[in-house]
């Protein structure tokens, strides 16, 4: 008989989004749950822990565990797991809530929580400020007035929206009806189909957040807008092929057991959806030529501000054996190795891999093999033609 596990929920959202208010609502209306809370504050004094204790009128403050002077998505990972396992061992609690710092990325925390002994990650709850989304995503005017450090907030907001199983849109009362519809359009582009709770002052039904069983890592990862769009492109061209499994290295990129990159592709060209009434649109930029590193670096300095998210595969002419993942969210632009292209393998190994993966063999390019550039671009009021021409100008 399987041992009973303790469910956990992760609460993420930028500073001021309303996480602590929402947490207080849960603690004052627990409906039979005995909830323990772990609060991460990046300062030396954990302000949130005191706000939670005071706001929820908690008498047993041992149920609130502060983690300070670090971030649970990086420096405090071990402390997080240890504290949760100690709470579970105490037998006093039947649910554990983790409030991440406003500057935390949710995915690495979720990966840590999945390693907790006798615990199960039940829900990842993202909290966003509707007013901030109006100012910094849908309109973007206020973002242009901020300095570079502040602009990186946009990147974090994208990741917090993109990786959750439940999204609470808070402060609905601070925006107009039309502004809110615009917010929903942006969210639908970033994370289509996510369960959304609309609220003000953090007033939400606990049943929609606790014991939902809604979190599955692979499902949440694959539900991101960029990921769905790239999958749709593959499915459009592969309807007649057999289904296959995806294995993710760090849940980011597909590789085989030897570290070679696997990815399917379709015909050379660009595709995308029509803009909605708020100008939110998505398209896929696809080429079978490599980028020139210097040209792409130069264009990155002039990256269009109305692109909300861009992610996908690429390769460089000066390093043709390696696949890269190119990723932008807001003004943050980065690239990292994804593995070796199959076309770069020794002939015997290449033959074996292609035999085991017929979909790749069916679409193999006689000149470049499996090498490609394939980027999903999500943004508002984008000039697709101009962006495509600018990216073409970065080709070798």
């Amino acid at each position: 008989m399987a041992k009973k596990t303790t469910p956990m929920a992760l609460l993420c959202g930028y500073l001021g989004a309303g996480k602590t208010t929402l947490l207080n609502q849960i603690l004052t209306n627990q409906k039979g749950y005995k909830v323990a809370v772990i609060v991460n504050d990046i300062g030396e004094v954990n302000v949130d822990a005191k706000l939670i204790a005071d706001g929820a009128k908690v008498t047993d403050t041992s149920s609130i565990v502060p983690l300070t002077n670090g971030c649970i998505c990086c420096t405090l990972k071990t402390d997080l797991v240890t504290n949760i396992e100690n709470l579970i061992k105490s037998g006093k609690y039947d649910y554990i809530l983790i409030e991440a710092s406003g500057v935390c990325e949710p995915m690495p925390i979720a990966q840590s929580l999945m390693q907790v002994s006798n615990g199960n990650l039940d829900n990842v709850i993202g909290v966003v400020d509707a007013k901030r989304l109006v100012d910094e995503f849908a309109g973007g005017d206020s973002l242009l007035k901020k300095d570079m450090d502040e602009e990186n907030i946009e990147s974090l907001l994208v990741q917090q929206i993109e990786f959750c199983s439940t999204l609470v849109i808070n402060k609905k009362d601070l925006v107009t009806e039309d502004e809110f519809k615009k917010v929903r359009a942006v969210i639908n582009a970033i994370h289509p189909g996510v369960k959304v709770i609309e609220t003000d002052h953090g007033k939400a039904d606990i049943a929609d957040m606790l014991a939902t069983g809604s979190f599955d890592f692979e499902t949440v990862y694959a539900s991101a807008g960029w990921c769905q769009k790239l999958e749709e492109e593959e499915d459009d061209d592969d309807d007649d092929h057999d289904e296959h499994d995806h294995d993710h290295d760090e849940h980011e990129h597909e590789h085989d057991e030897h570290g070679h990159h696997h990815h399917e592709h379709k015909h050379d060209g660009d595709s995308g959806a029509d803009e909605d009434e708020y100008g939110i649109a998505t398209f896929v930029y696809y080429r079978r030529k490599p980028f020139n590193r210097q040209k792409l670096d130069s264009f990155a300095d002039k990256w269009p501000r109305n692109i909300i998210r861009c992610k996908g595969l690429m390769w460089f002419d000066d390093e043709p054996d390696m696949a890269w993942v190119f990723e932008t969210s807001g003004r943050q632009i980065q690239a990292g190795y994804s593995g070796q292209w199959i076309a770069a393998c020794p002939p015997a190994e290449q033959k074996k891999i292609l035999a085991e993966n017929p979909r790749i063999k069916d679409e193999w390019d006689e000149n470049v093999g499996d090498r490609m550039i394939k980027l999903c671009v999500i943004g508002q009021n984008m000039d697709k033609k101009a962006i495509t021409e600018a990216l073409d100008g970065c080709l070798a």
Side-chain angles (χ1 to χ4, degrees):
M1 184 176 177
K3 188 173 181 179
K4 183 179 179 182
T5 57
T6 301
M8 304 171 288
L10 173 63
L11 193 59
C12 290
Y14 192 67
L15 300 166
K19 298 188 303 298
T20 300
T21 302
L22 180 64
L23 202 48
N24 281 332
Q25 294 278 353
I26 294 172
L27 291 177
T28 53
N29 298 279
Q30 293 187 34
K31 296 185 178 179
Y33 291 106
K34 295 177 182 176
V35 180
V37 178
I38 290 181
V39 189
N40 180 210
D41 193 313
I42 58 173
E44 291 185 7
V45 178
N46 198 308
V47 177
D48 275 0
K50 186 177 188 309
L51 287 173
I52 291 166
D54 292 347
K57 298 180 175 60
V58 175
T59 54
D60 179 13
T61 55
S62 66
S63 65
I64 301 175
V65 179
L67 293 179
T68 59
N69 254 351
C71 179
I72 58 176
C73 65
C74 45
T75 57
L76 294 179
K77 277 184 178 180
T78 302
D79 289 353
L80 173 66
V81 172
T82 300
N83 275 277
I84 292 174
E85 290 179 345
N86 288 339
L87 288 170
I88 292 173
K89 287 176 185 175
S90 75
K92 294 169 61 177
Y93 309 103
D94 50 27
Y95 206 98
I96 296 173
L97 272 170
I98 302 98
E99 180 190 352
S101 161
V103 296
C104 281
E105 300 171 9
M107 188 168 74
I109 305 173
Q111 288 175 318
S112 294
L113 293 176
M114 292 172 68
Q115 306 305 313
V116 172
S117 298
N118 300 318
N120 70 84
L121 185 52
D122 174 62
N123 200 1
V124 173
I125 306 165
V127 184
V128 295
D129 178 338
K131 178 62 175 171
R132 187 156 209 157
L133 288 185
V134 167
D135 292 340
E136 298 185 11
F137 276 103
D141 292 339
S142 68
L143 190 64
L144 301 179
K145 302 173 186 175
K146 299 181 184 298
D147 58 29
M148 283 300 294
D149 289 338
E150 187 74 355
E151 283 173 351
N152 287 332
I153 292 171
E154 190 179 9
S155 169
L156 188 59
L157 287 172
V158 169
Q159 294 177 66
Q160 290 172 344
I161 293 169
E162 199 172 65
F163 192 85
C164 63
S165 40
T166 301
L167 186 64
V168 177
I169 308 178
N170 195 28
K171 305 185 184 180
K172 184 180 179 180
D173 55 317
L174 299 182
V175 298
T176 67
E177 183 177 347
D178 192 59
E179 285 174 334
F180 192 79
K181 288 179 180 177
K182 204 171 184 181
V183 164
R184 289 300 302 264
V186 172
I187 287 171
N188 188 58
I190 298 173
H191 195 162
V194 66
K195 177 182 176 181
V196 171
I197 300 172
E198 302 173 5
T199 185
D200 59 79
H201 300 93
K203 298 171 185 173
D205 190 338
I206 293 175
D208 290 330
M209 292 178 284
L210 303 190
T212 64
S214 59
F215 182 80
D216 175 80
F217 199 111
E218 294 294 338
T219 301
V220 170
Y221 176 85
S223 64
W226 69 268
C227 194
Q228 283 198 19
K229 186 65 179 177
L230 293 184
E231 288 295 326
E232 286 172 8
E233 288 302 297
E234 291 173 12
D235 291 343
D236 285 345
D237 202 48
D238 294 330
D239 287 342
D240 297 330
H241 296 146
D242 295 332
E243 292 297 321
H244 70 290
D245 294 327
H246 296 283
D247 295 318
H248 294 286
D249 176 24
E250 289 298 312
H251 299 278
E252 282 286 344
H253 323 304
E254 294 168 31
H255 300 75
D256 67 10
E257 60 183 326
H258 306 292
H260 301 121
H261 180 84
H262 282 196
H263 200 92
E264 284 71 46
H265 55 268
K266 59 177 293 187
H267 58 82
D268 196 3
D270 306 295
S271 62
D274 294 333
E275 291 185 352
D276 70 7
E277 62 180 309
Y278 299 105
I280 308 298
T282 302
F283 73 92
V284 172
Y285 174 82
Y286 180 85
R287 294 290 184 266
R288 300 307 295 268
K289 297 178 180 179
F291 279 134
N292 174 276
R293 198 181 300 264
Q294 287 71 36
K295 290 179 181 178
L296 186 62
D297 282 345
S298 178
F299 178 52
D301 292 336
K302 301 172 286 186
W303 193 255
R305 290 175 177 264
N306 55 348
I307 294 179
I308 297 169
R309 184 71 155 127
C310 177
K311 189 167 183 177
L313 291 165
M314 66 172 186
W315 54 303
F316 289 117
D317 62 330
D318 63 347
E319 200 172 9
D321 290 352
M322 299 304 298
W324 289 67
V325 168
F326 179 78
E327 179 173 8
T328 79
S329 45
R331 295 288 292 169
Q332 182 173 311
I333 300 173
Q334 57 190 8
Y337 285 121
S338 178
Q340 188 180 43
W341 295 111
I342 298 169
C345 300
E349 187 176 348
Q350 186 181 119
K351 183 177 180 181
K352 181 177 182 291
I353 294 171
L354 292 175
E356 294 171 350
N357 299 272
R359 293 180 67 182
I360 300 173
K361 185 177 180 180
D362 290 343
E363 298 173 327
W364 191 264
D365 184 276
E366 63 179 16
N367 295 315
V368 299
D370 58 330
R371 298 179 181 92
M372 69 173 124
I373 297 171
K374 191 171 188 181
L375 305 175
C376 175
V377 186
I378 302 172
Q380 185 188 28
N381 299 326
M382 295 184 296
D383 186 336
K384 176 184 169 184
K385 184 174 182 290
I387 293 171
T388 298
E389 289 177 352
L391 289 170
D392 283 346
C394 299
L395 297 173

